[in-house]
Amino acid sequence: MNEDRELLPELLEDLRALASDGPREAPPHIEERLKIEFRRRKRHRSLVAWSPVGAAAAAAAIALLFWSHSNKPAAGQNPPVTAAQPIAPAADDVSEASFYPLPEAEGLPAIENAMVVRVELPVSSLQLMGVPVGEERAGASVQADLLLGQDGLARGVRLAP
Amino acid sequence: MIRTWCSISMLAGFAATSLFAQGPGRHMGPGPGDFDMLRPEFGISRKVVTGAPYSASAVTQFTQTLANGDHIQRTTTAAVARDSQGRTRMDRSIAAVGALSAAGGERRAIVIHDPVAGMSYALDPSSHTARSMQIPAPRSGTGARPEGRAHRSQASVKTEDLGTQTIQGVSAEGKRVTRVIPAGKEGNEKEIDIVTETWYSPDLQVVVMSKTSDPRFGDSVYQLNSISRAEPDPALFTVPSDYTVKQGGAMFRHGPAPAPAQ
């Protein structure tokens, strides 16, 4: 900020000098300094504008991390039971690797051709497929992508992005 | 630097809100044990097989025996086809997925995988819409048998060769894989045997029949019926003109790219 203030008088002086010489193109060094100044101010404005958003987002992320961590089981226990447990993929991730492999698919043949369908299902349905989900969330519904093998049986699940 | 941190914060916040948005009470969805089919999203093809066209109907029967002795039985069907160029089509009824049934009745989903054009399409016949996605060009190499990423319990595995049989007019090699989960490994009192029998056609390079028996989840039998080795109708591998095509993104994979096979 102090650096900004120091630059301002110089900049104004250059601008006045330019105006007194009549209409013409700005000399390269003034143009360059103007650009630098505009960029600096724009960056500052962006920071001010985005600060609350960034802070809120960071807080949400921290809350999520804390929530995830607090739901982790102790060693030797079954995995925790939350609706958000299957991986949440990037919106454009179409790889098999982005799916939570289902225990019920353990014995099924490997995928040759797969189809992914988006469904809405109660969390209790995930339980039926072997996804460890807690009873307290069994009544909730989620949108999810099911990875179906060539036999139409589910191999994996992920929450809809 | 500032921009980077803002972006990271926003992404983290978006991820957090997306996850929480999936929490309980958001949807008044279907009843327990069911699902609502919303739409097909995309298809994945593990390898490109050229020079071995076929078409067939695929039938899967799933049976689950409940603790009270009752049985849940589901049958799903699909029409599958592949042309000489390696383009594939799967037209599947989504009336059930394993033990789960579709709440809104039977819906169809079609996936066309066209490695020649480098495109994949997911067609929704109910809305006459299709999603298109670019697929990466196939890499050269031999067509190795695909081994999928799957959940694996702490089971010991035994594989038996079942020899060769002709199934639906196609020669197929059989193998039986038995996974044994020892008693106590997953809280089970007795040993659990998960048995998978697979019949694979080296000519067609597809599984023509498979049977799986898993005491925890049920039994399934998958079979290709009415196998025809004639060249399928090319129209099967194009999006019908009365469909509205929505452009999707480019596909990318974390795993190995599909290998072409002859």
Side-chain angles (χ1 to χ4, degrees):
Chain A
M1 284 296 285
N2 287 340
E3 200 182 339
D4 285 356
R5 284 190 190 123
E6 282 165 17
L7 276 172
L8 260 180
E10 275 182 66
L11 181 66
L12 287 171
E13 203 170 311
D14 285 341
L15 285 170
R16 281 192 201 103
L18 180 67
S20 65
D21 280 354
R24 64 172 183 176
E25 282 186 7
H29 75 280
I30 292 180
E31 186 181 341
E32 192 52 39
R33 287 176 65 180
L34 271 170
K35 282 183 183 169
I36 291 169
E37 185 63 18
F38 281 132
R39 277 191 214 117
R40 196 189 303 268
R41 289 183 165 244
K42 190 179 172 192
R43 218 178 296 145
H44 176 66
R45 273 200 303 272
S46 299
L47 176 63
V48 170
W50 283 106
S51 288
V53 178
I62 290 164
L64 171 70
L65 284 172
F66 181 78
W67 174 75
S68 305
H69 188 261
S70 65
N71 278 289
K72 276 185 184 168
Q77 284 183 346
N78 284 331
V81 192
T82 64
Q85 191 167 31
I87 23 186
D92 55 353
D93 193 343
V94 294
S95 63
E96 261 180 80
S98 65
F99 287 82
Y100 177 92
L102 291 172
E104 76 165 11
E106 182 173 2
L108 297 176
I111 286 177
E112 295 176 326
N113 290 299
M115 176 184 277
V116 174
V117 294
R118 179 151 305 170
V119 299
E120 184 176 339
L121 76 178
V123 172
S124 56
S125 294
L126 294 173
Q127 288 174 322
L128 289 178
M129 291 192 283
V131 179
V133 185
E135 290 297 330
E136 71 277 8
R137 299 177 76 96
S141 284
V142 291
Q143 284 194 16
D145 290 340
L146 295 180
L147 175 68
L148 308 180
Q150 60 275 2
D151 46 19
L153 297 171
R155 304 298 201 282
V157 66
R158 67 181 190 182
L159 291 182
Chain B
M1 188 68 179
I2 290 162
R3 255 184 221 166
T4 309
W5 276 109
C6 277
S7 304
I8 291 169
S9 306
M10 284 177 68
L11 282 173
F14 179 73
T17 48
S18 299
L19 282 172
F20 281 120
Q22 297 284 349
R26 185 182 169 214
H27 303 289
M28 291 300 290
D34 293 328
F35 65 90
D36 266 336
M37 158 87 180
L38 301 178
R39 62 175 181 270
E41 281 288 303
F42 56 88
I44 296 173
S45 185
R46 293 296 300 270
K47 63 178 178 180
V48 178
V49 180
T50 56
Y54 79 97
S55 56
S57 65
V59 179
T60 304
Q61 290 177 312
F62 178 86
T63 308
Q64 189 176 39
T65 303
L66 305 180
N68 64 2
D70 197 6
H71 299 282
I72 293 175
Q73 289 186 320
R74 312 265 188 227
T75 301
T76 57
T77 58
V80 294
R82 183 179 66 210
D83 71 2
S84 298
Q85 300 177 77
R87 298 185 296 183
T88 60
R89 175 190 171 103
M90 187 192 295
D91 183 340
R92 173 163 291 288
S93 73
I94 313 282
V97 174
L100 308 181
S101 63
E106 183 173 313
R107 285 276 300 273
R108 277 171 65 215
I110 302 169
V111 166
I112 296 171
H113 213 69
D114 185 351
V116 180
M119 297 298 290
S120 177
Y121 301 96
L123 280 64
D124 185 351
S126 66
S127 62
H128 277 227
T129 55
R131 285 188 75 208
S132 70
M133 294 188 121
Q134 286 181 352
I135 53 175
R139 294 176 196 163
S140 59
T142 55
R145 293 281 298 277
E147 294 300 331
R149 171 182 179 264
H151 179 278
R152 291 282 178 259
S153 60
Q154 298 176 28
S156 61
V157 178
K158 183 178 75 175
T159 304
E160 299 166 76
D161 187 345
L162 300 178
T164 303
Q165 261 190 37
T166 300
I167 297 174
Q168 294 288 312
V170 175
S171 176
E173 297 168 351
K175 71 171 180 179
R176 182 184 294 125
V177 177
T178 305
R179 294 182 176 84
V180 180
I181 303 173
K185 282 284 181 186
E186 293 191 354
N188 46 315
E189 285 183 12
K190 296 177 183 172
E191 184 180 278
I192 297 173
D193 290 353
I194 305 162
V195 184
T196 309
E197 197 177 296
T198 308
W199 293 89
Y200 177 81
S201 163
D203 288 346
L204 292 180
Q205 299 195 41
V206 292
V207 171
V208 291
M209 187 171 82
S210 65
K211 295 177 182 176
T212 301
S213 173
D214 187 336
R216 301 169 302 169
F217 300 107
D219 300 342
S220 64
V221 179
Y222 163 77
Q223 183 162 340
L224 289 185
N225 294 325
S226 311
I227 299 173
S228 165
R229 303 196 60 177
E231 189 71 30
D233 182 354
L236 289 174
F237 306 100
T238 58
V239 179
S241 57
D242 59 340
Y243 275 61
T244 304
V245 180
K246 295 175 183 171
Q247 207 79 20
M251 297 175 94
F252 67 93
R253 297 182 175 87
H254 296 300
Q262 290 290 337

